[in-house]
């Protein structure tokens, strides 16, 4: 497809796309939390700092209901730019791809039916461990169970995440597991130095450890949970990790616990893949032999500033946006032109309704 | 199939089976709770009265892990007869039918990933209302969401339940909604008079009410949740309600809120359908025009008393056993002879391991 850039084996990417295209898709949104998001300046995933914890459940509610129940409007940046979940939503709906929400440590439970895992939220890695080794083990075990169940229900299981502050924990996990990592951000001026400082402080507490201990000290609950999902699901069906550098951290851990590379790909937006402050393609290549696909959602062409902002480096990815767009292109031939029209319609609907239920 | 008895339209049953057979199956176990189970003598679903609340999560754990985590062994009657989940488990595994657990008001959460609905456990209808009208509305709404999601993932959604004491709440709901009902039991000497007294006491508090109010006063959380699931799922795919008289109560409510009868069937064991103290076929016919199928699991032919007990009226149904056996017969041609062998192997495995993990 002309809109896709591929990094890694093109043969493997082609084979992944051909087999996925002929089957069914299921999108699972894994919501989680790390108290690292409270480090000032580390994320813009919330209108105000005290609202950040509501962003994961609110994104899940928005995908499902078209409005949020935990907060009054859809999640935005402090200056009002909308959640990338907008792209996820129109992509999934354009192609009738079903989705489920999984709570893997969100501080706030979403107001809809969801898969519960019993995982606690992650701690602030600038100050102490994210969780216990036992929590990591629980996350991987439960991830395996959920991954196997969901993979048996679809030809291609697409996994996205919403973890505000999660690129910093991903950076720390990647470095802790030995990868040469720079990570992307929801902010155009990526606070690279700040992330480095937080990750380095967390890493300074590491000894020569088991991978689970690395994740327990410097990660977040999403990373081991999704690694467990991938590990089991990739033995049953295709798995598309829908995300940027956070999914690279998942791959780094999954490489240690085992997964089927032949059935796995990463899908993200060109806004992440092209982020010069990160190194997405190299990063994925460095941790696993799986193709990384990136799609240009085409929002640079929008007359609406809130949508154009995605192409200008705000919330470049998240809520599985890139992977869901790729899935919709594979499943039903969604084009960039149609995506743009659907996204503009949805943006106007939100602007009109204030993100609240109609009536 | 020679092992199936059909009540209601044979043409519709044939059409249901033909379309289900050609597609995929997904089993969902809805676990719930009613404090009505604490009325002495009303259920044997637990080794001791204080253990009854652990039966729903333990059944879910047993299906998943092959042993239980919430209690030390698989659920049994006070004299050690095993859960009908044993039949469910071997039927699902014989045919690689995937399953998910849904918590719709269980007092104890299962120790595995499950779909959470936020519903509270139901009250004892001998003493007061089961829940609020608002809880019923929540149950139906969330049931609709889950039903629509799961139905989009399978050609035939099979729904089973585990609600100790649930035949008494089913009786009260059926009568409250105007059906002429007698219900079945997990005990050979069905405590009909006791159930009648409890149901009548609950019904005496009813005025001429909205169906939701009837269920709120005399039902349990499973009934409105599964009615909601059926309502949405039957518009998308086939739905097999796997259970006996409790599923008749679900149908009675679903008839009031709307569902697609063409896509719906009930499946149970001949031990329920042949129960002279109940009136299963008539009951289903009285509330909805859907076929009721019953299968003889053939346990009368076992040399193992614990399995033969099913055919002698102990735990005649539950955990979706009958519907799962029917699904396995449709999907992969499971025969009664093979089912008996698999059940005996599993029974011996449990006897040897004490229902605890190996090793």
């Amino acid at each position: 497809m002309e809109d896709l850039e591929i990094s890694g084996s093109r043969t493997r990417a082609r084979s992944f796309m051909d087999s996925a295209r002929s089957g069914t898709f299921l999108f699972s949104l894994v919501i989680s939390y790390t108290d690292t998001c409270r480090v000032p300046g580390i994320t813009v995933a919330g209108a105000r700092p005290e609202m950040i914890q509501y962003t994961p459940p609110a994104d899940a509610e928005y995908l499902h209901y078209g409005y949020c129940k935990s907060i009054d409007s859809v999640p935005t940046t402090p200056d009002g730019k909308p959640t990338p979940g907008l792209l996820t939503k129109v992509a999934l709906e354009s192609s009738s791809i079903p989705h489920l929400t999984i709570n893997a440590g969100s501080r706030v439970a979403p107001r809809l039916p969801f898969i519960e895992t019993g995982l606690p939220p992650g701690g602030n890695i600038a100050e102490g461990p994210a969780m216990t080794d036992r929590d990591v083990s629980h996350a991987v075990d439960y991830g395996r169970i959920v991954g196997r169940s969901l993979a048996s229900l679809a030809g291609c299981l697409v996994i996205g995440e919403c973890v505000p502050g999660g690129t910093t924990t991903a950076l720390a996990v990647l470095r802790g597991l030995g990868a040469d990592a720079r990570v992307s951000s929801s902010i155009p001026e990526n606070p690279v130095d700040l992330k480095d400082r937080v990750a380095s402080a967390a890493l300074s507490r590491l000894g020569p450890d088991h991978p689970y201990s690395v994740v327990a000290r410097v990660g977040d609950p999403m990373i081991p949970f999704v690694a467990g999902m991938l590990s089991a699901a990739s033995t049953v069906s295709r798995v598309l990790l829908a995300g940027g550098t956070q999914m690279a951290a998942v791959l780094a851990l999954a490489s240690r616990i085992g997964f089927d590379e032949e059935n796995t790909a990463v899908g993200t937006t060109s806004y992440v893949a092209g982020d010069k402050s990160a190194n997405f393609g190299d990063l994925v290549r460095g941790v696993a032999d799986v193709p990384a696909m990136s799609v240009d959602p085409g929002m640079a062409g929008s007359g609406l500033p809130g949508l154009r902002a995605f192409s200008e480096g705000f919330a470049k990815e998240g809520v599985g946006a890139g992977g869901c767009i790729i899935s919709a292109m594979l499943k039903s031939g969604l084009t960039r032109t149609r995506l743009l029209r659907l996204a503009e319609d949805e943006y106007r609907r939100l602007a009109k309704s204030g993100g609240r239920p109609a009536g």
Side-chain angles (χ1 to χ4, degrees), chain A residues 24-26 98 100 147-156 236-237:
Chain A
T24 55
F25 289 80
L26 168 60
L100 296 170
R148 190 165 35 240
S149 291
L150 300 188
S152 69
L153 300 172
C156 182
V236 180
S237 70

Side-chain angles (χ1 to χ4, degrees), chain A residues 7-8 167 170-184 243-253 255 266 272-273 275 277-292:
Chain A
S7 156
T167 54
L171 171 69
V173 165
L174 282 161
R175 291 201 185 152
L177 294 176
D180 170 28
R182 286 171 297 149
V183 296
S184 196
T245 39
Q246 290 172 258
M247 289 304 174
V250 166
L251 277 174
L253 177 59
S255 295
V266 185
V272 164
D275 183 352
S277 70
N279 56 351
F280 183 65
D282 293 347
L283 192 53
V284 170
R285 252 194 308 279
V287 293
D289 185 14
V290 304

Side-chain angles (χ1 to χ4, degrees), chain A residues 148-337:
Chain A
R148 190 165 35 240
S149 291
L150 300 188
S152 69
L153 300 172
C156 182
L157 178 63
V158 186
I159 310 176
E161 54 67 40
C162 181
V163 193
T167 54
T168 302
T169 43
L171 171 69
V173 165
L174 282 161
R175 291 201 185 152
L177 294 176
D180 170 28
R182 286 171 297 149
V183 296
S184 196
S185 167
S186 55
I187 317 174
E189 293 301 317
N190 192 347
V192 171
D193 291 344
L194 176 60
K195 290 182 179 185
D196 275 347
R197 277 203 307 280
V198 170
S200 298
L203 290 164
S204 69
R205 294 191 302 272
L206 280 186
D209 269 329
H210 189 276
Y212 282 20
S213 295
V214 174
V215 175
R217 304 227 196 147
V218 309
D220 62 57
M222 181 282 290
I223 294 171
F225 184 82
V226 177
M229 283 182 78
L230 171 62
S231 173
S234 63
T235 65
V236 180
S237 70
R238 261 76 52 196
V239 181
L240 180 61
L241 296 174
T245 39
Q246 290 172 258
M247 289 304 174
V250 166
L251 277 174
L253 177 59
S255 295
R256 304 298 183 90
I257 64 177
F259 75 104
D260 188 339
E261 293 184 331
E262 297 274 347
N263 274 338
T264 304
V266 185
T268 190
T269 64
S270 59
Y271 311 142
V272 164
D275 183 352
K276 299 282 183 266
S277 70
N279 56 351
F280 183 65
D282 293 347
L283 192 53
V284 170
R285 252 194 308 279
V287 293
D289 185 14
V290 304
M293 302 183 276
S294 63
V295 64
D296 178 357
M299 295 299 133
S302 179
L304 299 166
L307 291 181
R308 214 165 48 233
F310 289 128
S311 70
E312 292 159 354
F314 296 90
K316 328 178 161 66
E317 170 60 288
V319 199
C324 288
I325 294 169
I326 293 170
S327 299
M329 288 174 162
L330 290 171
K331 184 180 176 198
S332 64
L334 176 68
T335 61
R336 205 150 61 168
T337 313

